Amino acid sequence: MNERGAAQRKASVRDVRRANRALLLRHLLFSGETSRASLGEETSLSPATVTTLVGELIAEGTVVERGQSDSPGGRPRTLLAVNPEAAVVFGADVGENRVSVQAFDLTMRRLASREYQFAGRRIAPAHVTKLVDEYVTSMRAELGPRGDGSERRVLGLGLGVPGIVEHPESAAGAPDPAVEPIVHAQVVGWETETFAPLARRLGFPVLIDNGAKTTTQAESWFGSAKGVEHGVVVFIGDGAGAGIITNGRLYRGSSSSAGEWGHTKISLDGVRCRCGSQGCVETFVGASAVLERWRGRDEAWRGRESTGVDELFAAYRNGEESARSALHGLVDHLGLALANLVNLYNPQQVVVAGWFGDRIVSEFLADLRAAVRRYSLPQPGAEVVVERSTLGPEIAALGAATLPLDHFIEHGWGL
Ligand SMILES: [Zn+2]
């Protein structure tokens, strides 16, 4: 074998090893305690490979042994689990009106949280950087050292933002701590921004992605879409977005803007959207758009749309005709917009999330399911299950924290 052939072989052995390690670690993270033998059965890796890789994971402190279980053959098996204390992971999410920052252990159990509310849908990137830095510092102080007195290791921070995040030099188009992403988030007034100062201030890796994508990853790892190979998660607040899961992984498109479902058109005219166009899904299903259809432009609700939505639902329950018409129109248009996703992607499941999405499905899930069936092609429409998100509105920071965790699973400690 020539030198180049040998180098290539060495690289591919390393790649296989890394992929096998990632496979074991994903299994341990998402399936909980298990034995070496079950890990081998479920991942189809050989007993020797499992023993070697588990040995390495234990040596680096990522995995711990957790006593014994009875096996069918009578011989007790040692149970393995991810060590929650191995590292702290931070997740930060910038939404339409709040910045949420949370700390998690390595099994994604929430350890601490901070939140900042802002009005008028405007917050400067420099302000976000300052807030995240302050909150991370105060949460680290709150958590203190590990049980044995040693300092807590930090895996990194994931930042979810309400816009398009380009990763121009990243091969997979996915977040990479070595690549500086470019963020476009009109909803909070960001044209073209970067967050380079944040990683410098924190002193550990920062990974950035669109909030709908990070949250979809959390739904697919821990929530309603767990284990779903082909699914769509839609987020409805004041805006609307979607995350698409194909073959169990997040679909990004060529420059990571896939999932901008809120700006697909379902009408040739109508209200102008903040993207500059007309007829966007967002102008039919977004909270302020629906409130505007009900009562006309009412500045009193600006920045406090959830109060407006409470009033709308109360009026509906009181039998007010205008509220009934606004909500039925909403469910009909949402059903239509979801049916377009069903026809395009043939998902097994559509999860409805986001604060306003949650309000809609808490009241109208059956009507929404009927509308989706009405507007979908018969076969994919009959197969798809429309569900309410089980993770709730607190999911955003958890979603962001899956970015450094995902990178760690794939690449190990060398972030
Ligand atoms: Zn639009």
PDB file of all heavy atoms in Angstrom, residues 262-263 265 273-277 280, ligand 1:
ATOM      1  N   GLY A 262     -43.555  29.334   7.239  1.00  0.00           N
ATOM      2  CA  GLY A 262     -44.377  30.518   7.534  1.00  0.00           C
ATOM      3  C   GLY A 262     -44.471  31.477   6.358  1.00  0.00           C
ATOM      4  O   GLY A 262     -45.389  32.284   6.266  1.00  0.00           O
ATOM      5  N   HIS A 263     -43.484  31.394   5.445  1.00  0.00           N
ATOM      6  CA  HIS A 263     -43.480  32.303   4.288  1.00  0.00           C
ATOM      7  C   HIS A 263     -43.784  31.571   2.986  1.00  0.00           C
ATOM      8  O   HIS A 263     -43.540  32.111   1.905  1.00  0.00           O
ATOM      9  CB  HIS A 263     -42.163  33.079   4.220  1.00  0.00           C
ATOM     10  CG  HIS A 263     -41.939  33.865   5.473  1.00  0.00           C
ATOM     11  ND1 HIS A 263     -42.622  35.027   5.751  1.00  0.00           N
ATOM     12  CD2 HIS A 263     -41.193  33.583   6.565  1.00  0.00           C
ATOM     13  CE1 HIS A 263     -42.279  35.448   6.959  1.00  0.00           C
ATOM     14  NE2 HIS A 263     -41.409  34.591   7.477  1.00  0.00           N
ATOM     15  N   LYS A 265     -46.713  30.509   0.445  1.00  0.00           N
ATOM     16  CA  LYS A 265     -47.932  31.286   0.172  1.00  0.00           C
ATOM     17  C   LYS A 265     -49.155  30.378   0.071  1.00  0.00           C
ATOM     18  O   LYS A 265     -49.100  29.306  -0.535  1.00  0.00           O
ATOM     19  CB  LYS A 265     -47.778  32.059  -1.157  1.00  0.00           C
ATOM     20  CG  LYS A 265     -46.439  32.767  -1.340  1.00  0.00           C
ATOM     21  CD  LYS A 265     -46.219  33.888  -0.335  1.00  0.00           C
ATOM     22  CE  LYS A 265     -44.907  34.611  -0.590  1.00  0.00           C
ATOM     23  NZ  LYS A 265     -43.768  34.121   0.203  1.00  0.00           N
ATOM     24  N   CYS A 273     -46.973  40.674   4.495  1.00  0.00           N
ATOM     25  CA  CYS A 273     -46.202  39.975   5.537  1.00  0.00           C
ATOM     26  C   CYS A 273     -44.943  40.787   5.858  1.00  0.00           C
ATOM     27  O   CYS A 273     -44.492  41.581   5.038  1.00  0.00           O
ATOM     28  CB  CYS A 273     -45.828  38.599   5.005  1.00  0.00           C
ATOM     29  SG  CYS A 273     -44.847  37.602   6.127  1.00  0.00           S
ATOM     30  N   ARG A 274     -44.344  40.535   7.014  1.00  0.00           N
ATOM     31  CA  ARG A 274     -43.117  41.284   7.351  1.00  0.00           C
ATOM     32  C   ARG A 274     -41.963  40.919   6.428  1.00  0.00           C
ATOM     33  O   ARG A 274     -40.965  41.629   6.367  1.00  0.00           O
ATOM     34  CB  ARG A 274     -42.747  41.073   8.809  1.00  0.00           C
ATOM     35  CG  ARG A 274     -42.434  39.640   9.133  1.00  0.00           C
ATOM     36  CD  ARG A 274     -42.144  39.479  10.594  1.00  0.00           C
ATOM     37  NE  ARG A 274     -42.299  38.071  10.953  1.00  0.00           N
ATOM     38  CZ  ARG A 274     -42.621  37.645  12.144  1.00  0.00           C
ATOM     39  NH1 ARG A 274     -42.860  38.496  13.103  1.00  0.00           N
ATOM     40  NH2 ARG A 274     -42.709  36.357  12.390  1.00  0.00           N
ATOM     41  N   CYS A 275     -42.087  39.812   5.675  1.00  0.00           N
ATOM     42  CA  CYS A 275     -41.021  39.447   4.732  1.00  0.00           C
ATOM     43  C   CYS A 275     -41.135  40.280   3.457  1.00  0.00           C
ATOM     44  O   CYS A 275     -40.283  40.189   2.574  1.00  0.00           O
ATOM     45  CB  CYS A 275     -41.068  37.965   4.406  1.00  0.00           C
ATOM     46  SG  CYS A 275     -42.411  37.494   3.309  1.00  0.00           S
ATOM     47  N   GLY A 276     -42.205  41.079   3.345  1.00  0.00           N
ATOM     48  CA  GLY A 276     -42.360  41.943   2.180  1.00  0.00           C
ATOM     49  C   GLY A 276     -43.344  41.392   1.166  1.00  0.00           C
ATOM     50  O   GLY A 276     -43.761  42.096   0.251  1.00  0.00           O
ATOM     51  N   SER A 277     -43.706  40.127   1.323  1.00  0.00           N
ATOM     52  CA  SER A 277     -44.603  39.496   0.365  1.00  0.00           C
ATOM     53  C   SER A 277     -46.047  39.495   0.893  1.00  0.00           C
ATOM     54  O   SER A 277     -46.336  40.067   1.947  1.00  0.00           O
ATOM     55  CB  SER A 277     -44.106  38.066   0.112  1.00  0.00           C
ATOM     56  OG  SER A 277     -44.757  37.522  -1.004  1.00  0.00           O
ATOM     57  N   CYS A 280     -48.594  34.967   2.799  1.00  0.00           N
ATOM     58  CA  CYS A 280     -47.800  33.987   3.560  1.00  0.00           C
ATOM     59  C   CYS A 280     -48.660  33.295   4.620  1.00  0.00           C
ATOM     60  O   CYS A 280     -49.562  33.905   5.195  1.00  0.00           O
ATOM     61  CB  CYS A 280     -46.648  34.680   4.277  1.00  0.00           C
ATOM     62  SG  CYS A 280     -45.442  35.395   3.169  1.00  0.00           S
TER      63      CYS A 280
HETATM   64 ZN    ZN B   1     -43.804  36.207   4.582  1.00  0.00          ZN
END
